[in-house]
Amino acid sequence: MQSLKNEINALNEKLSQAGDSARLKILSRNVDEILFTFLDHKDNKHPITCNIFEGYPDHSPLWCTASDHASVNTLVEKLNSDGRSITLACQIMVNDLCTAFGLDNVLDLCNGAGSFGGGSSSNTADMESMEDEESILSCSDEDDMLSDNNMSDTNVDSEEKADLESMKPEQFASLEKIKMTLRKDQEQGLAYGSVQATDRIMKELREIYKSDSYKSGVYSVEMNNDNLYKWDVFLKKVDSDSPLMDDIKKLAPNPEHIHLGIDFGDCFPFEPPFVRIIGPHMLGGYVMRGGAICMELLTRQGWSSAYSLESLILQISATLVKGKARISFNHKGTPYTFERAMCSFNALVESHQAKGWVTPPKEEG
């Protein structure tokens, strides 16, 4: 534990000494997690998280990013496959990203107290040949040693604090529970999904918790069996003047909502999630047999990684209203299932691929 604290302290000191010229900065740090941000050539921030497990350095850290940039996601996959120490991984991170974004100033974390030069990613090969990585882990200032309790709030900027303050305690608890479940699965070799998908879904969940629509009860979100990749979304409010909203109110004393299921794949956000109606049974509104939804937005052809999950949820709500969806209160047929919805969705995609998406327009189905 002490060597880990020493390494984090030394890394923070070198990045701090680089001042405003450093492209890589530490926003917060503790013995479980380090939150970095990298500034590209346009000063856009790319958040990168290092999750540290018990047994480090024998057990390599798990790196994640909420960035949509391909170079950043490629780097994260590289760091997770290489299994480097935190400091060496940071050097590789700076070298690769500076090269990717056409930046000349590369931070040197291996020589001196940290300096910038006109080098490139060629420094990586030299670092890989180092026989003693401990030389970069020492901490010269004993007073700067990290305690177990005071690290997590260090270097958290005002924007980060504003984000934290905008969530309720139970939402923090939910995120922490999900994070701990993922970490436990990773330690046991049971992790599912991908780094890019996990980090993007976590980012989307945080944004949803902070959104006005969520806070005002337009919809709610739950993880199915604490599985980050399976969401249950409950639409509670649609257009107040629509017949569908009247139908939702008539569901009482049963839950007054439309239940959506959202399933994410390993390639999210570069491929769309699978969205279906779980209940109640719907008539119209571009809802197909089995609960599939006929929207080009939900296909690979119509999807964009730039779409947020809240915008997707609200667009589905609007599509149901525009399609004049109604709740079938007297339905006694086969209930919606995942298998039936997937079969119906695949069939409609094949049909539209052959005939094209002509009507209704993309935003309506």
Side-chain angles (χ1 to χ4, degrees):
M1 178 68 72
Q2 191 60 56
S3 62
L4 172 60
K5 294 178 182 179
N6 291 351
E7 179 176 7
I8 298 175
N9 270 325
L11 179 61
N12 184 64
E13 180 182 3
K14 291 177 180 181
L15 292 175
S16 298
Q17 287 179 358
D20 294 337
S21 58
R23 290 287 171 177
L24 182 67
K25 297 181 182 294
I26 293 179
L27 298 180
S28 64
R29 68 193 200 277
N30 57 52
V31 294
D32 296 316
E33 179 184 81
I34 308 175
L35 178 60
F36 298 91
T37 185
F38 184 88
L39 298 177
D40 64 19
H41 58 301
K42 296 182 179 179
D43 287 338
N44 295 318
K45 294 181 179 180
H46 299 275
I48 300 173
T49 304
C50 174
N51 296 287
I52 308 168
F53 303 108
E54 184 177 355
Y56 174 84
D58 294 331
H59 192 157
S60 301
L62 174 66
W63 296 84
C64 304
T65 182
S67 173
D68 295 332
H69 199 282
S71 295
V72 181
N73 282 278
T74 298
L75 166 75
V76 167
E77 295 286 357
K78 175 181 178 180
L79 295 180
N80 285 323
S81 63
D82 287 351
R84 306 292 184 184
S85 70
I86 297 171
T87 305
L88 187 54
C90 286
Q91 182 67 73
I92 295 173
M93 184 193 312
V94 173
N95 289 349
D96 285 12
L97 292 184
C98 281
T99 299
F101 291 113
L103 300 169
D104 293 329
N105 49 339
V106 179
L107 180 64
D108 185 358
L109 296 173
C110 296
N111 298 313
S115 59
F116 280 86
S120 65
S121 58
S122 60
N123 290 340
T124 303
D126 295 332
M127 289 186 298
E128 292 176 348
S129 65
M130 293 175 60
E131 296 180 357
D132 186 10
E133 288 186 3
E134 290 298 322
S135 63
I136 63 176
L137 306 184
S138 62
C139 179
S140 60
D141 187 356
E142 188 71 23
D143 293 335
D144 192 40
M145 290 294 183
L146 302 172
S147 69
D148 292 332
N149 300 320
N150 67 1
M151 290 182 63
S152 59
D153 293 330
T154 305
N155 292 338
V156 179
D157 59 20
S158 58
E159 182 179 350
E160 290 288 319
K161 290 182 178 179
D163 288 346
L164 296 178
E165 292 171 357
S166 64
M167 295 186 197
K168 296 180 179 180
E170 58 268 26
Q171 293 164 354
F172 276 120
S174 176
L175 289 173
E176 188 64 20
K177 183 178 181 180
I178 293 170
K179 179 179 176 182
M180 295 304 296
T181 299
L182 289 171
R183 179 172 294 179
K184 183 178 180 181
D185 289 344
Q186 174 72 17
E187 291 175 342
Q188 297 177 352
L190 303 175
Y192 45 85
S194 65
V195 172
Q196 68 179 20
T198 296
D199 214 55
R200 177 61 179 268
I201 297 171
M202 286 291 288
K203 174 188 175 183
E204 295 287 347
L205 186 57
R206 291 189 186 96
E207 293 302 315
I208 282 176
Y209 283 158
K210 295 183 289 184
S211 74
D212 292 336
S213 296
Y214 180 88
K215 292 179 179 179
S216 62
V218 173
Y219 66 92
S220 63
V221 176
E222 296 178 6
M223 303 299 103
N224 191 315
N225 293 322
D226 294 328
N227 187 338
L228 183 64
Y229 283 68
K230 293 183 178 295
W231 287 20
D232 289 311
V233 176
F234 304 97
L235 287 177
K236 301 177 180 180
K237 298 178 183 178
V238 296
D239 187 341
S240 59
D241 296 326
S242 67
L244 181 58
M245 188 67 239
D246 293 336
D247 287 351
I248 292 175
K249 293 177 181 178
K250 292 177 183 177
L251 289 171
N254 295 317
E256 299 177 32
H257 61 233
I258 297 172
H259 185 182
L260 304 177
I262 302 182
D263 290 76
F264 301 93
D266 294 355
C267 294
F268 180 81
F270 302 107
E271 292 185 1
F274 177 60
V275 186
R276 64 189 180 100
I277 302 287
I278 295 179
H281 195 274
M282 308 290 295
L283 298 174
Y286 309 113
V287 178
M288 313 301 289
R289 291 179 302 170
I293 304 172
C294 182
M295 290 178 64
E296 186 181 5
L297 176 65
L298 299 177
T299 68
R300 293 182 180 180
Q301 176 183 343
W303 176 257
S304 168
S305 61
Y307 292 141
S308 70
L309 289 180
E310 171 162 274
S311 66
L312 172 62
I313 293 169
L314 297 180
Q315 186 61 64
I316 291 174
S317 174
T319 296
L320 293 175
V321 172
K322 291 178 181 179
K324 300 179 181 181
R326 301 298 300 269
I327 293 175
S328 177
F329 291 96
N330 298 319
H331 177 71
K332 298 181 180 179
T334 305
Y336 292 151
T337 65
F338 180 91
E339 291 76 14
R340 291 183 65 226
M342 180 62 75
C343 180
S344 180
F345 182 77
N346 289 337
L348 72 89
V349 169
E350 290 180 6
S351 175
H352 281 293
Q353 284 178 341
K355 301 178 182 179
W357 292 82
V358 181
T359 57
K362 180 186 296 187
E363 64 270 16
E364 296 185 15

